[in-house]
Amino acid sequence: MTLEGFFYAAPRAAVAFSGGTDSAFLLWAAKKYGCDVHAYYVKTAFQPEFELQDAKRLTEELGIPMTVIREDILAVPEAAANGPERCYYCKRALFTKIWEKVRSDGHTLLLDGTNVSDDAGDRPGMRALKELEVRSPLRECGITKAEVRRMSKAAGIFTWDKPAYACLATRIPTGMKITEEDLKRVEKAEILLEEMGFTDFRVRLLPEGARLQFTEGQVAQAVEKRREICSLLTPLFPAVLLDLEDRKPSA
């Protein structure tokens, strides 16, 4: 099946839009192939503000309506507890909320941007999508992440080379309860490092402080700028640690 064929059979749809590369391309394809599409973005404490701004920019550029749903994800006990199945409970809660809004708007089809490169066996959240009957056209059509980036670039979509950005909850160690204060500290730290020129990095929260992970080539840069980094981040964390292992670039 092709995306053109998919949207020919599905002329009206709702898309759960994250602001990332995959769902951005899905929205573009839906519009290109004549689908009456509406984007739905869920804003929680797990999503940094820049993702929402990217989502607004993309939908405005494509001329696609977007509804922002605000949800207190930390009110979901299993999500806040941050156990090994956190992603499942989070996805199930958020997509249940999206479905409520989607159905009230008269939609019967909800899509997401999962592609064929995503490993279903390693993503408990994908189990929730299956249970809630959320369809993934990119996956169904056999489209890989690399193909999404290539076609997005050709289409002029600004997210074509945007690094994959796992939600802020992934910065908290499994088993450590997630608080809004900790999420804000991590988000603030990542904003400060981005302003210093670092890209595609992670700030991992630890009981004793924060561990910084940089891709190859940026570790040496971080060592050179260690005094500046410490001056910016020590107000946020009791200790700032540098991981000397190169972080693999996000797909």
Side-chain angles (χ1 to χ4, degrees):
M1 181 190 297
T2 64
L3 283 176
E4 184 175 8
F6 181 95
F7 287 114
Y8 178 80
R12 188 168 189 264
V15 171
F17 184 34
S18 68
T21 304
D22 299 321
S23 52
F25 176 70
L26 182 61
L27 283 174
W28 174 87
K31 181 75 178 286
K32 175 179 174 62
Y33 296 123
C35 180
D36 178 10
V37 64
H38 191 117
Y40 291 81
Y41 182 97
V42 183
K43 180 70 175 80
T44 77
F46 289 177
Q47 282 75 44
E49 181 63 24
F50 81 82
E51 291 279 37
L52 175 56
Q53 298 310 314
D54 281 356
K56 288 180 177 178
R57 176 185 167 188
L58 192 283
T59 50
E60 287 173 1
E61 289 183 359
L62 294 180
I64 293 173
M66 183 176 76
T67 296
V68 178
I69 303 168
R70 297 189 180 271
E71 181 69 5
D72 181 8
I73 192 60
L74 294 178
V76 178
E78 298 89 348
N82 197 24
E85 291 282 281
R86 183 205 72 241
C87 190
Y88 168 79
Y89 291 108
C90 178
K91 274 279 201 288
R92 187 164 181 90
L94 298 186
F95 275 82
T96 296
K97 182 62 67 173
I98 295 173
W99 258 127
E100 290 175 2
K101 180 58 179 170
V102 162
R103 289 194 177 102
S104 72
D105 289 346
H107 289 279
T108 58
L109 179 63
L110 177 57
L111 313 175
D112 93 310
T114 302
N115 65 69
V116 77
S117 299
D118 294 322
D119 182 4
D122 190 40
R123 298 200 176 198
M126 289 175 67
R127 189 170 84 247
L129 300 183
K130 183 177 181 180
E131 292 173 358
L132 294 172
E133 299 183 339
V134 177
R135 293 186 65 182
S136 305
L138 302 180
R139 191 174 184 84
E140 291 181 30
C141 295
I143 298 173
T144 65
K145 183 74 170 190
E147 290 172 320
V148 168
R149 291 197 182 280
R150 176 179 58 79
M151 291 187 286
S152 294
K153 184 178 182 180
I157 306 171
F158 77 86
T159 54
W160 76 269
D161 63 344
K162 183 176 179 178
Y165 189 90
C167 79
L168 290 170
T170 62
R171 313 303 197 268
I172 316 297
T174 300
M176 181 176 176
K177 185 175 180 180
I178 300 174
T179 67
E180 188 169 1
E181 179 186 1
D182 283 342
L183 294 171
K184 287 182 176 179
R185 284 196 295 157
V186 169
E187 182 177 7
K188 176 64 174 176
E190 293 194 348
I191 289 172
L192 291 171
L193 291 172
E194 184 177 7
E195 290 174 347
M196 289 181 64
F198 292 103
T199 59
D200 199 10
F201 58 86
R202 293 289 185 268
V203 175
R204 307 284 186 189
L205 190 66
L206 300 171
E208 66 271 23
R211 176 165 58 100
L212 312 186
Q213 296 178 314
F214 296 96
T215 55
E216 185 178 5
Q218 294 190 99
V219 173
Q221 181 184 356
V223 171
E224 291 176 1
K225 296 185 175 182
R226 65 188 185 281
R227 294 186 186 280
E228 183 180 356
I229 290 173
C230 286
S231 68
L232 290 173
L233 301 192
T234 49
L236 298 171
F237 309 103
V240 178
L241 312 175
L242 175 62
D243 191 335
L244 295 179
E245 287 284 341
D246 293 334
R247 166 180 154 75
K248 294 181 180 179
S250 299

